Amino acid sequence: MYKKKCPSVSLGGHSLLAVRLMADIEKQFGKNLSLAALFQGATIEQLAILLGQNIDTHSWSPLVAIQPQGNQLPFFCMPGSGGNVVYFHQLARHLGNDQPFYALQPPSLDGVSEPFSSVEQIAAYYLKAIQTIQPSGPYFLGGHSFGVLVAFEMAQQLQQKGETVALLALFDLPAPLPGSTPKQLDWDDARWLTNIAHILEMLSGKNLEISYETLKPLTPLAQLNHLKQQMETVNLLPPNSGIERVRGIVQTIKADELAVMSYLPQAGYQGRITLFRTSEVYQDKLGMLGEVPTDPTWGWNQLSRQPVEVNVVPGNHTTMLSEPYVQVLAELLKL
């Protein structure tokens, strides 16, 4: 029987569409579903069944089964700053129905749980989750943007435990090299929220009209409510949404950016690294990574004992995972 697909899943689009959908569901049905539930109930009928069940809708799983079917070993992929995994949907689709694809998300997106403070903590948390699906290697890992650092750290921790990492796919992030001097950010709440709003604008293509001057005199809660109101104005959230979803997005992005600056990756990784660089050169506008290496491997060769495979793919840092560019990425990534 044909089942109509949930629009935000079947049509792809930016990851904030899923936030809007989940907020709509919470408002209409009083249930706070996670992104994992969005893929669990990928059709209208399945979502209706899920909403009718007497379950703890606030329970949180870091594992999001974007494509759980198939006979191949699963590919586990870590998202960029903010932890929203929906934008991996098109990559999973192009990898095919026989390739299981799991993404991982931090619990702090619920707006209640405290965010992790380091890349090492996130990696250890995600490893426990993926080993409930696959107890032993070989593992296939990937990450985009901030998720590159998490995937690399996961691979390091797995090798320290004697496990095999068959693939470590890094999507468009230079290596943070030992000895580099990352920018130290002495930002107040208003500055953080202003820059996070700019990130949301980049992801959504919407103009939130958030300025530091407007936020500065407000209390932290009033600042957060102002961002929520602006997101509602441009239809990124339904009217009168709960503040938790906005708080979850903001606190997760902030924690991820701070984790980047404190992360000191260990050299000597023994496995193969495959770097997927975009044809448009990565721009580290906030200086989070310090000096960006200029060699073809973007510095990853200094952290690995094996030669780094480099693939240049079309698009930029954001669009490489969207149509039509994602088709090229998927073809090169075939596991």
Side-chain angles (χ1 to χ4, degrees), residues 56-130:
D56 179 10
T57 55
H58 285 80
S59 62
W60 190 272
S61 171
L63 276 169
V64 179
I66 293 180
Q67 207 296 99
Q69 307 303 317
N71 297 317
Q72 305 297 324
L73 287 173
F75 180 57
F76 299 99
C77 204
M78 276 39 78
S81 180
N84 196 314
V85 302
V86 174
Y87 71 112
F88 286 139
H89 167 70
Q90 293 171 345
L91 177 59
R93 182 168 62 86
H94 282 293
L95 288 175
N97 294 329
D98 199 40
Q99 178 58 61
F101 190 113
Y102 291 85
L104 289 105
Q105 60 182 356
S108 55
L109 279 176
D110 66 4
V112 178
S113 304
E114 286 293 317
F116 292 112
S117 60
S118 70
V119 171
E120 291 87 349
Q121 288 177 342
I122 300 170
Y125 176 75
Y126 286 173
L127 281 180
K128 288 182 180 180
I130 71 172

